[in-house]
């Protein structure tokens, strides 16, 4: 009898310890995705320009490859004042933000670098003022915005998308992940009047391989494998961001070799941005990028149900059997 009780105690203790270890699940969401942060004002001393420069429009072109993405952003700014405003602007290296439509999920955009980044004003490249190594993980330019005039700023860069992980409970997938953070307009003068976003699927990536969300209705053109969505008069309130999850992680991915081809890749995206067709798009919906395949959650749920329901029932049955045997022995002893 003592041996039986000892075994029962050992089993229950083991499951309690195991359940406490299993409770340390990671924060659900998308982590270590490549992508683009918001292009924004940076230094407090430039606060005189806050809300005085309007980002009138942005046109973002993305080419997704297996393992990486190439980004071209074209921004049109209007200085609404009568004075020239010289300010510092830049891109962050990484950030963490919640999803608007999926509040329980966090998204971490990690740019281990914005590779081969370059910025141009009216097609003329301008030098970077500071690099991340000496400026708290920001790429910075200093730009003078002339009074009452439009200024066109274009940026090109490459990001590594091969290290993304999607976590949901105890399930995890290693995928390619790209996130573009939609500008909130919190610092620029609102609203942003128009925004056009295009993402072309390269390397034989199929639409069936894509999961994602966008802040407005998403369209697809099969003739050039391009996703598209449009925004108007936005940035007053935070919008959901553009998230694409695609293909499995590539083992032994040689990203350094990709970087050596940056000139060719930038020519490709320039060609795409100028020659893309504006017709032939139809509405589509993509699968939830936060959903993860796997039996982990089912198994863990089964263990918890067993711990909190199965063990008490099992203990109850064992106690009933013990009482029954004790009563049976007592009856025999009475005879």
């Amino acid at each position: 009898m003592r041996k039986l009780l000892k075994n029962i105690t050992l089993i229950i203790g083991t499951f309690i310890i195991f359940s406490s270890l299993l409770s340390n699940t990671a924060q659900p969401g998308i982590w270590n995705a490549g992508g683009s942060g918001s292009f924004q004002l940076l230094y407090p001393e430039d606060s005189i320009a806050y809300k005085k420069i309007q980002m009138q429009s942005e046109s973002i072109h993305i080419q997704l490859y297996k393992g990486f993405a190439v980004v071209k952003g074209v921004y049109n700014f209007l200085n609404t004042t009568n004075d020239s405003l010289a300010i510092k602007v830049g891109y962050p290296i990484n950030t963490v933000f919640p999803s608007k439509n999926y509040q329980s999920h966090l998204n971490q955009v990690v740019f281990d670098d914005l590779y081969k980044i370059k910025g141009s004003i009216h097609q003329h490249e301008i030098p970077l003022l500071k690099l991340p190594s000496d400026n708290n993980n920001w790429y910075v330019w200093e730009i003078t915005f002339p009074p009452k005039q439009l200024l066109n700023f274009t940026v090109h860069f490459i990001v590594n998308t091969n290290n993304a992980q999607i976590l949901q409970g105890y399930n995890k997938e290693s995928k390619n992940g790209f996130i573009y953070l939609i500008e909130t307009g919190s610092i620029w003068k609102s609203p942003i009047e128009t925004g056009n976003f295009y993402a072309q699927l390269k390397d034989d990536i199929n639409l069936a391989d894509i999961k994602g969300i966008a802040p407005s209705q998403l369209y697809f053109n099969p003739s050039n494998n391009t996703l598209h969505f449009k925004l108007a008069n936005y940035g007053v309130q935070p919008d959901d961001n553009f998230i694409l999850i695609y293909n499995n992680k590539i083992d032994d991915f040689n990203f350094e070799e990709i970087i050596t081809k940056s000139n060719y890749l930038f020519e490709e995206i320039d060609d795409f941005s100028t020659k893309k067709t504006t017709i032939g798009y139809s509405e589509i919906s993509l699968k939830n990028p936060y959903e993860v395949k796997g039996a982990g959650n089912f198994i863990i749920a089964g263990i918890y149900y067993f711990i909190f329901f199965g063990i008490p029932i099992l203990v109850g049955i064992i106690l009933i059997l013990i009482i029954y045997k004790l009563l049976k022995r007592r009856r025999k002893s009475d005879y």
Side-chain angles (χ1 to χ4, degrees), residues 2-20:
R2 289 181 179 177
K3 186 176 180 180
L4 178 61
L5 292 174
K6 184 178 180 180
N7 289 336
I8 292 171
T9 304
L10 181 62
I11 292 171
I12 293 172
T14 300
F15 275 107
I16 290 173
I17 293 171
F18 187 54
S19 67
S20 66

Side-chain angles (χ1 to χ4, degrees), residues 193-242:
E193 295 176 8
T194 58
N196 281 286
F197 301 79
Y198 298 89
Q200 187 179 42
L201 311 182
K202 306 285 282 184
D203 276 353
D204 297 321
I205 299 171
N206 297 315
L207 187 62
D209 300 325
I210 303 288
K211 294 181 180 180
I213 55 175
S216 65
Q217 179 59 52
L218 198 57
Y219 296 83
F220 183 69
N221 187 334
S223 66
N224 59 358
N225 282 336
T226 300
L227 296 160
H228 169 60
F229 69 93
K230 186 175 182 178
L231 296 172
N233 295 318
Y234 62 103
V236 179
Q237 296 179 345
D239 291 284
D240 217 339
N241 297 291
F242 188 35

Side-chain angles (χ1 to χ4, degrees), residues 66-68 160-162 176 250-256 258:
K66 293 177 181 178
F68 69 100
N160 188 336
T161 63
N162 195 52
N176 276 241
I250 303 172
D251 294 329
D252 301 321
F253 179 55
N254 189 353
F255 187 62
E256 290 75 15
I258 300 300

Side-chain angles (χ1 to χ4, degrees), residues 65-76:
Y65 296 84
K66 293 177 181 178
F68 69 100
V70 183
V71 180
K72 177 183 180 181
V74 179
Y75 307 92
N76 287 308

Side-chain angles (χ1 to χ4, degrees), residues 63 65 68-71 114-118 156-159 255-270:
Q63 288 184 312
Y65 296 84
F68 69 100
V70 183
V71 180
L114 301 179
Y115 292 89
K116 296 296 182 177
I117 189 169
K118 62 178 183 178
H156 293 76
F157 54 82
I158 303 169
V159 292
F255 187 62
E256 290 75 15
E257 182 179 351
I258 300 300
I259 298 306
T260 64
K261 304 175 183 177
S262 61
N263 289 337
Y264 167 76
L265 292 170
F266 289 157
E267 289 174 2
E268 283 282 295
I269 202 165
D270 284 338

